[in-house]
């Protein structure tokens, strides 16, 4: 669970990304509240590494991505980026986006464990896309989502034009991106961008509950389900059906799949171990 109290104060001095592993859940917490958690280059690389670790570690069975303070993530903080070694030339911007914002969003989408966003406050720009890339999104009722790029004369990055139309359709996506108006948590839930909206004081408890349920589930089956759903948005029926059959073939080699079938036959609750 997120570090709190005196322990949090001690860790905060050393890290702008807090990490804790509790009950099979990897908690990744952005910790720059004074900057509304605008994500720096170092934070981005740390999050990507922690998500990769979560995929590889059998002890991790779910991930929660959240933040401290009033903001979830106010976008990218370019002040923390390494200084360019030379004058910018054509191709540099595209390369920066590919290796930066797009890598961050891809790390969430490709993580082999289910990722929950617990959005405690404003999620703007890449911060909104970081939340939308997660498998499940919980939000405090005080949270807001802002497609801030148009306000700065920029094209959305971090996969926004890929994620939003798939979540809310092209017309709604254009409305959000063309105007850049803040979307309340309640409206985001109504549009399907958020799974649940709760009072701020209940957000952590709900994230713990959902993450705990996922961590107690059949981990490989969840990973394969995530892959199937994500891939279905880009492929045709033939491809989706073939991927489904292949996923079933792989999953039926796992201990958890056999346990699930056996528990059903024996009329008892399954005990999943994550493999």
């Amino acid at each position: 669970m997120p570090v709190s109290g005196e322990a949090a104060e001690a860790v905060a001095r050393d890290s702008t990304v807090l990490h804790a592993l509790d009950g099979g859940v990897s908690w990744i917490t952005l910790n720059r509240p004074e900057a509304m958690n605008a994500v720096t280059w170092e934070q981005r690389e740390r999050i990507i590494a922690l998500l990769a670790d979560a995929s590889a570690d059998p002890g991790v069975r779910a991930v929660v991505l959240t933040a401290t303070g009033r903001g979830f993530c106010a976008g990218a903080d370019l002040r923390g980026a390494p200084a360019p070694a030379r004058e910018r030339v054509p191709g540099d911007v595209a390369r920066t986006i590919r290796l930066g914002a797009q890598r961050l969003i891809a790390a969430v989408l490709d993580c082999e464990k289910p990722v929950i966003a617990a959005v405690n406050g404003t999620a703007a720009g890449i911060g909104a896309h970081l939340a939308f890339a997660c498998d499940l999104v919980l939000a405090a009722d005080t949270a807001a989502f802002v497609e801030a790029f148009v306000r700065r004369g920029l094209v959305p990055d971090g996969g926004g034009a890929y994620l939003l139309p798939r979540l809310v359709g092209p017309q709604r996506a254009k409305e959000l991106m063309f105007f850049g108006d803040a979307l309340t948590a309640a409206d985001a839930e109504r549009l399907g961008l958020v799974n649940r909206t709760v009072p701020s004081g209940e957000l952590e408890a709900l994230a713990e509950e959902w993450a705990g349920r996922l961590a107690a589930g059949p981990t490989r089956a969840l990973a394969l389900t995530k892959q199937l759903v994500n891939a279905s948005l880009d492929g045709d029926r033939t491809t989706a059906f073939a991927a489904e059959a292949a996923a079933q073939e792989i999953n039926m080699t796992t201990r958890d799949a056999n346990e699930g079938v056996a528990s059903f036959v024996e009329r008892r609750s399954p005990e999943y171990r994550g493999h």
Side-chain angles (χ1 to χ4, degrees):
M1 63 182 61
V3 181
S4 59
E6 294 181 0
E9 294 176 2
V11 176
R13 289 193 292 268
D14 302 320
S15 177
T16 58
V17 177
L18 307 181
H19 180 244
L21 181 60
D22 182 72
V25 180
S26 174
W27 290 81
I28 302 173
T29 305
L30 292 171
N31 187 44
R32 293 182 70 227
E34 73 283 357
M36 295 287 285
N37 291 302
V39 67
T40 65
W41 183 89
E42 291 86 357
Q43 285 178 299
R44 183 193 72 208
E45 294 304 306
R46 176 68 171 149
I47 295 168
I48 291 171
L50 287 170
L51 289 168
D53 291 345
S55 288
D57 186 352
V60 175
R61 298 174 65 182
V63 177
V64 176
L65 184 59
T66 189
T68 59
R70 297 183 299 109
F72 175 74
C73 177
D77 187 344
L78 301 180
R79 291 172 295 181
R86 53 169 171 73
E87 183 179 351
R88 191 170 71 192
V89 299
D92 283 350
V93 173
R95 189 179 310 105
T96 297
I97 296 298
R98 286 197 306 272
L99 299 179
Q102 290 178 355
R103 276 181 59 241
L104 176 60
I105 299 306
V108 178
L109 293 170
D110 295 339
C111 183
E112 295 178 29
K113 310 299 167 62
V115 183
I116 297 174
V119 183
N120 55 296
T122 299
I126 188 66
H129 300 166
L130 184 61
F132 298 153
C134 292
D135 302 300
L136 300 167
V137 182
L138 307 177
D141 55 6
T142 54
F145 300 85
V146 188
E147 286 294 322
F149 299 93
V150 70
R151 297 182 178 185
R152 303 176 187 128
L154 300 176
V155 172
D157 64 24
Y162 173 85
L163 293 167
L164 269 176
R166 286 164 170 76
L167 293 168
V168 299
Q171 305 307 118
R172 289 290 192 184
K174 290 172 188 174
E175 178 183 346
L176 294 171
M177 291 180 164
F178 286 1
F179 295 114
D181 295 332
L183 190 67
T184 66
D187 284 340
E189 182 178 2
R190 178 177 55 82
L191 291 177
L193 290 168
V194 168
N195 293 88
R196 297 285 189 279
T197 299
V198 295
S200 295
E202 300 176 14
L203 180 64
E204 182 179 327
L206 183 60
E208 286 187 17
E209 178 192 343
W210 281 33
R213 291 177 63 186
L214 291 170
T219 306
R220 296 314 305 165
L222 291 174
L224 290 165
T225 301
K226 173 176 178 172
Q227 292 174 15
L228 286 175
V229 173
N230 287 351
S232 74
L233 300 172
D234 299 318
D236 56 27
R237 186 187 70 183
T238 300
T239 301
F241 277 24
E244 177 186 278
Q248 290 284 14
E249 180 74 25
I250 294 169
N251 190 61
M252 287 309 297
T253 67
T254 66
R255 183 260 177 206
D256 280 351
N258 288 285
E259 164 65 7
V261 173
S263 66
F264 175 77
V265 173
E266 297 166 10
R267 298 185 179 182
R268 59 176 174 81
S269 297
E271 296 182 6
Y272 296 123
R273 299 179 183 176
H275 57 82

